[in-house]
Amino acid sequence: MHHAFTARALLKQLPVRIESAAAYGDRLLLGTATGALLVYQVSEASADRPAAVTLIETKKAFARRSVEQLGVIKEAGVLVCLADGLVTLHDLHTLSSATPLNNTKGAHVLALHTGVDHIDGIPTLVSKLAVYAKRKVVVLEWRDAEFYKSFEYASAEKIVAMQFSAPGLLVLSTAREFLTLQLPRGQWDDLFPADTASLRTVAGGIAAGSHGIDASRTGGEAGGTAQTAAAGGGMWASWALSLSGPAADIQPTIARMPGEKLLLCHKDIGVFINAAAKLCRNEHSEPMMFTRAPMGITYTSSYAIAVSRDSGPPASGDKHAPPRFNVEVRNIATQALVQTLLLGEEEPAQVLNGGGGKQVWAVGPHTVWRLLPAPIQQQVEAVLAAEHYDEAISLVAQSDNILESEKDELSTKIRWLRARWLFRAQGRHEDALAEFSALDATPTEAISLCPERIAGDLAEDPSDDELSEDEANTTEAAGDETASHSCEGMQGAWKEALYAVMRYLTEHRRWLQQAIKDDKRELEYTVRVPAEVDDDCDSSHGDGPNDAGASDIVDDNDNALPHVRLKRLAFLLEKMAIPVPAMAQMVDTTLLKVYLECSPGLLGPLLRVQNFCDVEQSEGLLLEHGRFLELVDLYHGKGLYRNALQLLHTQGSVAGSLHGTYSTVRYLLRLPADQFDLILEYLRWPLQCGLDRAQARESTGSESGSEDDEDWPSPTTVVAMVFADDRPAAEAFPRSRVAAFLRQFSSELVVQYLAHVFDVWNDESTGLHDDMVSAYLNLIADTLGSDVPLAEDTVRGAQLRQRLQLFLKSSHSYSPERALAHLPDGHLFEERALVLSRLGRHEHALNLLVFSVASLPLAEQYCAENVTQYPSVFVLLLRILVAGPPPADVVDNESEDIRAARLEFPNEPAAPNTSEQVETVRSKIHRQFVGHLLSAHHQFLPVPDTLPLLPSDIEFSHDMFVYLRSQLCTLDQDMRTSNVVSSLGAAECLQAKRQLRRMQSSFVSVTETRTCPHCLKRIGSGTAFAIIPEERRGAGPSVVHYSCWQRSKAAQSRPANGYTANGSGGNDASASDNDDDDVASEASSQSEHRPTPAPVVEIKWA
């Protein structure tokens, strides 16, 4: 509650009893029990004198009896007086010329209304007077200050109260229910019963005892309501129950409220209806509950004012003392009790307002009170001091003493303070942050309410909200105590607050991301800016009311309203455009802090996506909490790849979550291709560690790795992850530089990488293929040594040689010359032979296979593989076998030859010991293999090239017999084929000659006098014509115009087959027409429509 009004008795101990009153402008009219009318002039308060009233006129014979009710129709200049059951109209200015309304005899209730109504589409000022008298309602109407017409409407029940809700709608009340009367149609409609139980049901089913109502005070109403709800008998089932009890004699009341609303009240409960007599459920979702049953109700722009009897014990303690009466002031919007004013012991006759609600009067039998409003800034300040922010908002919105231009600003400021109060004092964090969002406040406002470890430099003291000193000290102490807690020690309220802030910032972050997506550079926020408060502002703040303060609000000129200045609202709210990146940085950095406190698991999702976290602050916080993985994500998102790799390298050497090289290798996979140099720089450590650990295992003889092998991947695994991967970045790396880098560690890594390059990416560059050959040779050299003979090859060496030979066979991109230069001397003859085959040096290659390798099957396989490109390769092998090796080869490779002989021919006797024996064995082996070649590959050994190479003393073996028989069969087959081809050629030539003679024997002569049989016109030399064969006409071939032939063909059911020619000349102008669309020729013989070929016609011009 706060101080809204001051009750000042302006008239006391009047000698006559006041029965009625009316106020308009600066006039106060009082009707007495003797029928006199007292006219007072009202003087408003000023700086040098208080408010007062002055008697300016007395009409002693105004009425014959007591003046029961007064009403003023200011627009029509009419004073309405109800006295002795009769309504009389008087001139408002002269108070004379009484006009009695005879049809209102027996009247006891009247209602007035003035407003603008559209009549025939024209706005018209309409004033209406409604009077209830003797079961009828009389309505008088004035239009534009001129009397228009009167109406009468019969009423079935006695009316106890009525008010106009609109020019065409009258709301009435009987003792049992509320009704409406539509004007001028006269249609009656029921609203709802006039009892408290029904009013509670209508207003939303509020149970008895809510809103602080004492169930015992309401008597049987609470029980009636409960019974109605339990029985489910409908809205109106319990109206009769409310008519019993100690307050059953109180009649329903209808009071006018601001905004074209009416308050329908019975006993201590009232509901609001609008101009259409509909419940105001949106503005007033609950009924207005008075402390006591009001005896009279009026209003101002913000308050509903009711006069009621004080049922409490008297202040003097005397039980026989007369009762006191009080004035109850309630906020219309919030329905909260604002103030209770205790009046004197005499009962007020009525409470009324004047000046459109700016003057409030309480009139008793002998006393008149003026309710002087406190300055609006004092009221708002008092409400804010009590932290009743909803009350303050409604007070500002409803007040007529505040400029319209300032209402929105003041309401916004109060809502701002309310949001801060909800967050700090009430713990309603979600509601507070929702309010900030509705006000378009910057997120920094919500952040500043958090503890200092979250808000940082934005943290502020609770005393910034202009609280009292004690409240500020208490809140500050609580804030300091909370700020001292660590993440593990966070308790209840602050933890819930941080969760609410987290959700709020997350939602705002989505909004910022959408703004960035829409390419917005700035966003408009409401920003709080401190403002200086004038020294004279405090002069209006006092503990009690004063008359001079009222003059600051209500001036003689109603339109001249001062600016409202409040100490608690001494700040400005301005719309400012704030850059999106700056706001996003603040939001993301604060979110990171909140996540560290509440939900560390959400740090990863925040830092792994695009974020605007401040690197310096975030780095310190993450290091402090030991969140190294999240720090790596932060570095990566900001493009600080070197920082991330350095952190991984440092943490990989110590025990922890990042121990080992695996984390570094995994991070290298995330780097783009343009960071290739950085990748090579930080990949040396994982590769070298892998090689060192492999050597250590070999030296200790350990076959399996240690338990932490997953954290220390092998070099091959590293290469497979970083370079031999399907990532676009791995494919975009410069491959020659990768091969050169891997060559520094191991040739096996080069082979692994290049194999992936060739197999997956199909790279055909010569340089990489040459690097592959060099890598294989280096591996073989490291495994076998430079002078190891073939027979002593290890299993590993044999596998490497097989892979190298396979590569030399399959690859067509390496340089044979460069590969030949890299091959060692003294061994690797098979590889050298493969390279020589690429150079076309087959004789050299076969010499190596036959004499250096001493493997005749390899030589045979070599010839089979190259016979397509070089058909005489078998003849070359035969020549080498017969001729024998050069002397140097015999000396250098004598032991190999003998050993090969034993392998190939196991039935041979013991190894020879002399060079003559060696040569004998070699010659025998070669001659046997020559026979094998003659029988197995006779098709590649032509007789003219083969027989001269055979020695004269060669044995005529079975192989020789097979070879000669095969050659003879081949020659015979070739001769027969030649004869068949020759016969077919002769037949084809004869057929062509016959065709020529047939074509030359047929002709048609076209003379100058020849005419077309269709159109009978001459066929000229420049005319297109067609020749119709004789088979189709039954006579000799005829010549027709081509156009005539086309028309004839279209008319026939089946197209005719014809021949066309151009009349420009030529002896072979005929052409085929398989589809009857072209000129016929010799090709028409193959038409599917003709079983026999058409005759060939030669055209001759006469």
Side-chain angles (χ1 to χ4, degrees), residues 205-228:
I206 301 177
S210 63
H211 296 278
I213 300 174
D214 188 0
S216 62
R217 179 178 56 80
T218 60
E221 293 178 1
T225 304
Q227 293 172 10
T228 302

Side-chain angles (χ1 to χ4, degrees), residues 152-175:
E152 292 187 6
Y153 306 95
S155 173
E157 298 185 38
K158 181 181 178 180
I159 304 300
V160 298
M162 62 182 176
Q163 283 288 350
F164 283 94
S165 65
L169 188 62
L170 184 63
V171 180
L172 310 96
S173 174
T174 67

Side-chain angles (χ1 to χ4, degrees), residues 970-983:
T970 302
L971 291 175
D972 183 65
Q973 184 178 358
D974 292 343
M975 184 178 297
R976 292 176 182 275
T977 301
S978 178
N979 292 335
V980 170
V981 171
S982 178
S983 300

